[in-house]
Amino acid sequence: PIINLRFTIEMLKSARNFLGIDGLNAARNSLNTLILSKLASETEVGLLNSALQFTIPVILIITNIGGSIFPVLCKEVARGVKYFKQVTENTVEMLLAFALPASVGLFFLAGPALEFLYGEGFEEASGALQIIAWTLTLRAITQILGLTLLANKKENIALRMTIIMALAQLILGIVLTNLFGLKGAAWSILILWVINFLLHYFANVRYFFRIELVKLFWKPTIATLVMAVYLFIAQEQAFLPAVIT
């Protein structure tokens, strides 16, 4: 069959924003490891990766739920802002009910969990895991806010934010890793997610609607506080390490 050159060019033009976003995200995935290996040591790279492994199951769940809800978001765009906002907020609240307890759980269980999974010698990674754990909560919100941009054909805005994130990651990674090593790398990851969340939040406020974060947070927060109190008491009584190990 003859290739339709005009159609091919139009497809490439329409896909260039998505190609740019995916390309930059692919490069960003290995940037922290590269910076840490150059400014610290291979040992600290291994410790950082061991901490990041604990976030992967939660990330997979958040990503898969986001992927499954995206067609619904696209459909609700045509129905109007009211319905679109309702679906967005319901999805964010659902993800927070899972991600917020996961963040708190990893914060309290970082040391025992690392020892249980990897054995002795990974104590230094517990501090990094306690910091990185809070990115899960930010990711749960940002994931859906990013999809609202794509559902409304604002991929050019998403590309600009990805470029900003890549530059911020490079600068923060070099500065904080050079100053604080492994914990500096972990802090750079958390700060980047704060920046990412703020960019997506204000983009949604400007183009669509203001998401009611207080309303969405209070139910998961109450449940998580109960869990946090229990974990804190159990940790003080040295109960958690004995149970996990």
Side-chain angles (χ1 to χ4, degrees):
I2 300 175
I3 297 175
N4 190 325
L5 186 60
R6 178 178 294 179
F7 175 77
T8 303
I9 293 174
E10 290 299 321
M11 285 294 295
L12 289 174
K13 286 182 178 180
S14 62
R16 61 186 176 186
N17 288 327
F18 293 103
L19 291 173
I21 292 170
D22 289 340
L24 284 171
N25 284 332
R28 288 179 55 214
N29 285 337
S30 58
L31 188 56
N32 289 318
T33 301
L34 178 62
I35 293 172
L36 191 60
S37 66
K38 294 297 182 182
L39 299 179
S41 66
E42 293 181 358
T43 300
E44 290 183 304
V45 171
L47 292 172
L48 178 64
N49 286 330
S50 69
L52 290 171
Q53 292 302 312
F54 283 90
T55 66
I56 290 178
V58 183
I59 292 172
L60 288 174
I61 293 173
I62 293 173
T63 303
N64 286 327
I65 291 176
S68 64
I69 205 67
F70 182 63
V72 180
L73 288 172
C74 294
K75 179 181 178 181
E76 295 302 319
V77 169
R79 296 186 64 191
V81 175
K82 177 184 176 181
Y83 300 99
F84 182 65
K85 180 181 180 181
Q86 184 178 3
V87 172
T88 301
E89 290 186 339
N90 289 344
T91 307
V92 170
E93 187 175 20
M94 177 180 64
L95 289 178
L96 283 176
F98 176 77
L100 188 57
S103 295
V104 173
L106 285 176
F107 179 82
F108 282 102
L109 299 174
L114 283 163
E115 184 178 353
F116 173 75
L117 190 60
Y118 296 110
E120 296 182 357
F122 285 84
E123 296 83 4
E124 292 182 40
S126 62
L129 179 54
Q130 287 179 319
I131 296 168
I132 294 170
W134 299 106
T135 63
L136 296 174
T137 301
L138 294 167
R139 182 187 288 268
I141 306 171
T142 308
Q143 175 83 17
I144 303 305
L145 294 183
L147 293 176
T148 62
L149 291 173
L150 298 181
N152 284 275
K153 300 180 180 180
K154 297 289 185 181
E155 59 270 10
N156 59 324
I157 305 298
L159 177 59
R160 292 175 195 171
M161 291 192 292
T162 305
I163 295 172
I164 293 172
M165 288 297 300
L167 294 174
Q169 183 174 357
L170 181 62
I171 295 170
L172 284 172
I174 292 174
V175 172
L176 294 178
T177 303
N178 190 45
L179 290 174
F180 305 109
L182 175 61
K183 283 194 175 182
W187 275 112
S188 71
I189 294 172
L190 178 57
I191 294 171
L192 280 167
W193 271 103
V194 173
I195 296 172
N196 200 13
F197 160 71
L198 291 174
L199 288 172
H200 281 81
Y201 177 80
F202 287 111
N204 274 268
V205 170
R206 178 179 179 182
Y207 293 106
F208 314 126
F209 53 81
R210 183 183 298 274
I211 188 170
E212 304 295 336
L213 287 177
V214 175
K215 183 183 72 174
L216 301 181
F217 258 100
W218 77 268
K219 290 181 182 177
T221 299
I222 291 175
T224 304
L225 281 175
V226 175
M227 185 186 78
V229 170
Y230 170 77
L231 291 176
F232 176 77
I233 295 173
Q235 189 179 54
E236 289 297 308
Q237 295 178 353
F239 176 68
L240 287 176
V243 171
I244 294 178
T245 57

